[in-house]
Amino acid sequence: TLDGTVCQAAPGLSGWSLSNVGPGCRAPLPDEARGAVFVYELLGTFVLVLTVLATAVAKPGMGDLAPFAIGLSIFVVVGACGSITGGFFNPARFFGPAIIFGCNLQYIWLYWIAQILGGLLAGMVHRLVLERPEVNALIAKGAHREPSEAERA
């Protein structure tokens, strides 16, 4: 078949055909897993968005280390939750394969609500905790402090 020929020619798609779950899709969810998927997607999105806000958006940020911190957070979150949720943590990451391959469209609400709430919670924590003047002053002082006698020696 055409899909078998195309998929055998592309190393990343070997074993995939149009009759099963496409690349980037998650296998269908059992009914009892919906609650766990919701919680893990919410927490994973929270961690990812808070990492972006704390390293790339906040002042002082992490500068050139921000992409490393963001990539590390994705690595940890997908490693911890990916086998349960599919490791989406981004509405577009779920929506693309769902539309193209028609997989799990009935669960789009579950993923989107969890991801949007996770992002909103991260934004609230960033605004209420990390953007407070006293916290910023403490972070700036720690980032630009003078080395101690032991560190100079």
Side-chain angles (χ1 to χ4, degrees), residues 1-71:
T1 63
L2 177 60
D3 64 317
T5 304
V6 170
C7 292
Q8 294 304 319
L13 299 179
S14 63
W16 179 79
S17 72
L18 294 176
S19 61
N20 65 9
V21 179
C25 292
R26 189 199 186 297
L29 292 173
D31 289 341
E32 61 272 5
R34 289 182 192 161
V37 167
F38 183 85
V39 170
Y40 283 120
E41 278 289 318
L42 186 142
L43 291 175
T45 304
F46 172 83
V47 168
L48 175 59
V49 172
L50 190 60
T51 302
V52 170
L53 291 172
T55 61
V57 175
K59 301 294 181 218
M62 290 184 67
D64 293 339
L65 289 177
F68 177 75
I70 295 165

Side-chain angles (χ1 to χ4, degrees), residues 25-116:
C25 292
R26 189 199 186 297
L29 292 173
D31 289 341
E32 61 272 5
R34 289 182 192 161
V37 167
F38 183 85
V39 170
Y40 283 120
E41 278 289 318
L42 186 142
L43 291 175
T45 304
F46 172 83
V47 168
L48 175 59
V49 172
L50 190 60
T51 302
V52 170
L53 291 172
T55 61
V57 175
K59 301 294 181 218
M62 290 184 67
D64 293 339
L65 289 177
F68 177 75
I70 295 165
L72 184 61
S73 74
I74 292 171
F75 176 78
V76 169
V77 170
V78 170
C81 307
S83 63
I84 296 166
T85 69
F88 297 107
F89 311 119
N90 178 343
R93 168 66 185 86
F94 181 84
F95 187 64
I99 292 298
I100 299 299
F101 298 107
C103 54
N104 292 323
L105 279 173
Q106 69 273 25
Y107 300 119
I108 200 166
W109 63 272
L110 177 77
Y111 283 91
W112 278 16
I113 291 173
Q115 293 161 354
I116 290 168

Side-chain angles (χ1 to χ4, degrees), residues 60 137-152:
L138 186 63
I139 292 171
K141 181 180 177 185
H144 304 299
R145 67 179 178 78
E146 292 295 321
S148 67
E149 292 293 325
E151 291 173 331
R152 284 188 220 146

